Amino acid sequence: MDVEVRQLRCLVAIVDEGTFTDAAIALGVSQAAVSRTIAVLEKRLGVRLLRRTSRETSLTETGLRVMTHARRVLTEVDNLVQLTTSGHVELRIGHAWSALGRLTHAFQRRWRESQPDTPVHLLRINSPSAGLVEGTADLAVLRRPLDDRRFEGATVGHEPRWCALAASDPLARRRSVRLAELSSRVLVVDRRTGSTTAELWPADARPATQESREIDDWLTVIATGRCIGVTAQSVVDQYPRPGIVYRPVRDAEPVAVRLVWWRDDPHPATRTVLNLLGELYRA
């Protein structure tokens, strides 16, 4: 069953214009062509869409349902055409947890000033690719490796690691902590999108782990005092939470912040984003 866009446009034109004659004028074709197109559409769908009398043309009940979907499909097609012919009218940057931390507002402000014709949207998408694979992001800010040859990326900066603790935890009274002091604790991790796992510790001194699903779940578990978490600076900046304190981990390697994009179809603004993020992190 092959339904064509032109057939859906013909159906919409008939309903919007009111008659086959007016639809033909709007579409720039003959009335006979309109009649043939609708007949083929009804045959392919196996249903009657229009009820015609000498006075009017109206939709059947099935036609009403088809019409709703037809308008939606045509809107998506028009959006697709606009996207491919305008060279990307917007920029969607996905991230799993914390965008750019304290640099988020500076990035958005400087982007508006320098690229007013390309609106930017920062989207929190809890997937390993932060929306690239799903098609909901054009670029992704990631703080863990993405082992997928379809993508290319570059490191734009580094963030120190911090330990998230319940405010009642004895270590919360410390100014900072070391990895060895955390190895006997239970580490809550998000293996899909989190920046830290037990592999950060030496093989013979790794903490027990508990799984979480995303940032809010991660914070809720830590607040109970049963677990601790280790994360990047950006989470500390983005998620102050009553009942939780953050302390720097003095001897932990920093988290690399990477900008990632589709290797064979990079957004035209990719290089501009790279340069701006590099400047912000260096500053």
Side-chain angles (χ1 to χ4, degrees), residues 261-281:
W261 57 90
W262 282 93
R263 184 184 300 274
D264 62 352
D265 186 27
H267 191 282
T270 298
R271 181 57 54 182
T272 306
V273 177
L274 270 175
N275 292 337
L276 178 52
L277 291 183
E279 291 175 10
L280 291 171
Y281 271 98

Side-chain angles (χ1 to χ4, degrees), residues 65 123 131 192 242:
R65 294 194 295 272
L123 309 172
R192 296 178 68 246

Side-chain angles (χ1 to χ4, degrees), residues 118-149:
T118 306
V120 65
H121 305 285
L122 295 174
L123 309 172
R124 183 157 76 91
I125 304 169
N126 196 47
S127 78
S129 70
L132 286 178
V133 170
E134 296 82 358
T136 51
D138 305 302
L139 300 172
V141 175
L142 301 179
R143 292 174 174 83
R144 60 179 297 143
L146 181 62
D147 187 18
D148 191 322
R149 297 183 66 181

